[in-house]
Amino acid sequence: MLPPLLVRRLVFTPLLFVLTLLIVVVFPVAYGVSWVLGRERRRAARLVRFALAWGTRESAAVLECGWLWCRGRAHDDRHYDIIRRYVAALYSVAERHLGLRTEIEGPRDRGDGGDRPLIVLSRHAGPGDALLLVHHLLTDYQRRPRVVMKAQLQLDPCIDIAANRLPNVFVTPGGGAVEDIGRLAQDLGPRDALLIFPEGGNFTPERRHRAIRRLTQLHRKDEAERAAAMRNLMPPRPGGVLAALESAPSADVVFVAHIGLDHMATAGDIWRRVPLTEPVRARWWRIPAEDVPSDRDARTDWLYTQWERADAWITANRAPAPQ
């Protein structure tokens, strides 16, 4: 069960500062030790440097949020600037020390303020893909992201403070996420983007099999068969997507398929694959609002069709799994 807000703020926020200070103090020793670990030394050094950057950047973002609160601006749009600087800094550090490179196919939307709102539907696979998406939405698309995310992420102080001051949805099991997503989409502005991961969590083969079995048990035979034919994705859960489309009928829809983080499900996977030798590749495609079906059943079929398109792109572009 997630601790209440007061406990999170009084425990996890000070803990962030303590851990960051500890990293700063022990960094010279840890970095030095990393260079005597034989052939693994460079990998360890990269991760130590990234941990230092993560702690200091997150601590700085939390302090900035505190400064806005002291000035009576706890719900100011300046929080988007804080998030932009925070994720951009992590992105830059990951480029320098973890070998991160991104290649994006598809439109780069730099339209003016009169553009349409967006509903962004992305696959969820690998560590950090949500941060990468938020980074690109804030920079390349110049959008203000609204994110549907798991409630457990509020254990992270920066997410807990900044994201709760902006329009976002934290999903808990049985917590009425569909209704919350519908309300979140109701007032999407021309520079807003609602980010949803329709699979409901990071892809794993086990979760995929459970999702297909669940569709079968619910007697949704057609969806189960289509889901079984997609080897790289879990079947999309249409409830939240349909609620968003109904609440924001003028929004264009952007789909995102990506590869490059797929085989990094555990800490051991991350250790073995750092530095990244292949780029994180993504395919974005945008569908105008007028081309989105209006009927609920037709929208579910359309969502599966777009998911099948994403699955086909992943199959055609992904590299073999590392041995």
Side-chain angles (χ1 to χ4, degrees), residues 86-320:
Y86 171 51
V87 297
L90 293 182
Y91 184 89
S92 177
V93 172
E95 283 184 313
R96 292 198 305 271
H97 300 300
L98 303 185
L100 175 65
R101 292 174 292 136
T102 58
E103 298 176 0
I104 298 178
E105 304 173 21
R108 294 298 185 96
D109 174 55
R110 295 185 182 275
D112 59 28
D115 207 345
R116 294 176 175 180
L118 296 179
I119 296 174
V120 182
L121 307 177
S122 174
R123 79 172 299 207
H124 205 5
D129 63 345
L131 281 177
L132 290 178
L133 281 164
V134 169
H135 171 69
H136 287 296
L137 287 171
L138 284 166
T139 55
D140 294 340
Y141 271 63
Q142 299 177 8
R143 297 282 178 157
R144 297 177 300 185
R146 302 182 178 191
V147 186
V148 180
M149 63 192 105
K150 289 186 176 181
Q152 290 88 338
L153 290 173
Q154 293 172 101
L155 296 177
D156 181 290
C158 184
I159 294 176
D160 186 24
I161 297 172
N164 273 305
R165 293 181 181 179
L166 295 169
N168 295 289
V169 163
F170 290 97
V171 178
T172 57
V178 171
E179 292 78 8
D180 291 339
I181 293 171
R183 286 190 291 270
L184 185 64
Q186 282 179 348
D187 62 343
L188 281 178
R191 302 308 302 163
D192 293 328
L194 174 58
L195 174 58
I196 305 175
F197 298 96
E199 293 165 297
N202 263 309
F203 174 90
T204 67
E206 294 77 15
R207 286 178 176 174
R208 173 178 172 271
H209 291 312
R210 287 200 301 267
I212 295 171
R213 185 165 57 249
R214 176 176 173 273
L215 290 173
T216 302
Q217 293 171 347
L218 292 173
H219 304 292
R220 290 156 64 177
K221 181 180 178 182
D222 180 64
E223 292 179 34
E225 291 176 351
R226 296 177 75 174
M230 293 185 286
R231 310 304 301 179
N232 308 294
L233 301 173
M234 295 187 291
R237 300 182 179 184
V241 176
L242 295 178
L245 293 173
E246 290 169 3
S247 296
S250 64
D252 289 353
V253 182
V254 173
F255 286 88
V256 181
H258 61 79
I259 55 174
L261 299 173
D262 313 56
H263 306 298
M264 300 176 71
T266 67
D269 295 335
I270 296 172
W271 172 259
R272 287 188 293 270
R273 296 201 69 195
V274 169
L276 298 173
T277 57
E278 298 292 333
V280 176
R281 298 183 57 198
R283 177 74 172 95
W284 300 51
W285 65 97
R286 180 171 177 167
I287 299 177
E290 55 268 22
D291 292 340
V292 177
S294 57
D295 178 74
R296 285 182 63 89
D297 290 338
R299 282 179 170 175
T300 300
D301 177 75
W302 168 82
L303 175 60
Y304 266 82
T305 298
Q306 301 305 317
W307 226 238
E308 289 162 345
R309 178 179 174 180
D311 184 74
W313 182 88
I314 294 168
T315 298
N317 289 275
R318 79 184 315 168

Side-chain angles (χ1 to χ4, degrees), residues 13 16-17 19-21 23-24 48-66 79 81-94 96-97 131 156-159 161-162:
T13 302
L16 167 66
F17 296 128
L19 291 177
T20 300
L21 180 61
I23 293 173
V24 171
V48 168
R49 290 182 69 91
F50 185 76
L52 175 66
W54 189 298
T56 54
R57 296 294 184 177
E58 175 149 353
S59 297
V62 170
L63 290 173
E64 288 185 85
C65 290
H79 287 85
D81 297 326
I82 294 174
I83 296 171
R84 182 185 295 107
R85 289 191 294 270
Y86 171 51
V87 297
L90 293 182
Y91 184 89
S92 177
V93 172
R96 292 198 305 271
H97 300 300
L131 281 177
D156 181 290
C158 184
I159 294 176
I161 297 172

